[in-house]
Amino acid sequence: MEILAPIQFSSIPRLPLFFWMFVLIYLIAYFIVFRNWNPKLRPEASSCLISLAHGTPAVFLAWSAIASDPNRGFASANTDFQSTVLDYSIAYFLMDLCHYLVFYPSDILFIGHHLATLFVFVTCRYLVFHGAYAILVLLVLAELTSFCQNTWTLASTRRADVPFAAKAWRDSQMGLGFLGCCSCNGHFC
């Protein structure tokens, strides 16, 4: 009689798993979390929610993957942990790209940004198997401002009809000056 071994996480393809996780988060955001929002605002809000689900965890995951690699170098081979973080980010960018292609197909700037990012991440992860260290350093720096930017976007979206959002957008640290400061110097966020 053959005994079957339990399925190990590493044996499950990570990219499809992460992609469907972001699809599920997007659908929950669109149909449950933001169901009472104006239908024109729901897609942007849902995109912000998956960005929040990606950005903050990506900072900690990428930092951990960088710190756990004894062969730190811009041309070092990717570790399994680094590849997992790349899969996580590739899945997010694929899902958000789908969002933009469906709801905002004329937003060439964001579509181009997602395509360029995907090109770099996919090349590093699946073609050359090197360079994750450098990309993850950039990912940490880029995603440090993600929470601030998404919070500002959500507050901006609802500021006309929700007093708290208007106050957060106008009076607190969610104004353009703070966002600019965060974008230029992420450690102030």
Side-chain angles (χ1 to χ4, degrees):
M1 183 164 118
E2 184 180 337
I3 298 175
L4 298 175
I7 296 175
Q8 299 294 316
F9 177 74
S10 61
S11 68
I12 299 172
R14 294 174 290 213
L15 181 58
L17 184 70
F18 289 140
F19 177 76
W20 287 108
M21 177 192 76
F22 284 114
V23 169
L24 183 63
I25 293 168
Y26 187 92
L27 293 174
I28 288 170
Y30 191 88
F31 291 109
I32 297 172
V33 176
F34 303 117
R35 71 179 173 276
N36 295 327
W37 285 37
N38 178 327
K40 291 181 179 180
L41 302 177
R42 286 166 58 188
E44 183 176 8
S46 300
S47 176
C48 281
L49 195 68
I50 65 168
S51 181
L52 285 167
H54 169 258
T56 304
V59 168
F60 293 107
L61 290 169
W63 184 258
S64 297
I66 291 165
S68 68
D69 183 9
N71 300 317
R72 295 184 191 122
F74 291 113
S76 61
N78 300 348
T79 66
D80 190 50
F81 189 17
Q82 290 170 340
S83 294
T84 299
V85 177
L86 288 173
D87 282 340
Y88 183 76
S89 291
I90 291 168
Y92 159 73
F93 279 103
L94 282 172
M95 178 56 217
D96 210 39
L97 177 62
C98 292
H99 155 80
Y100 275 95
L101 291 173
V102 169
F103 291 105
Y104 307 106
S106 63
D107 193 344
I108 302 301
L109 182 64
F110 257 85
I111 292 170
H113 160 71
H114 282 47
L115 288 172
T117 303
L118 282 167
F119 174 78
V120 172
F121 281 32
V122 168
T123 300
C124 172
R125 169 67 174 98
Y126 292 103
L127 295 177
V128 297
F129 309 105
H130 285 72
Y133 174 84
I135 290 172
L136 295 180
V137 168
L138 294 174
L139 181 66
V140 168
L141 295 173
E143 294 299 337
L144 277 173
T145 60
S146 180
F147 178 81
C148 297
Q149 190 270 330
N150 284 297
T151 304
W152 182 82
T153 300
L154 288 170
S156 174
T157 301
R158 293 298 302 267
R159 72 179 187 262
D161 57 334
V162 177
F164 175 75
K167 182 167 178 45
W169 185 81
R170 182 186 65 246
D171 296 337
S172 76
Q173 297 179 342
M174 291 301 126
L176 286 174
F178 179 71
L179 183 62
C181 180
C182 283
S183 295
C184 293
N185 203 345
H187 68 275
F188 284 117
C189 265

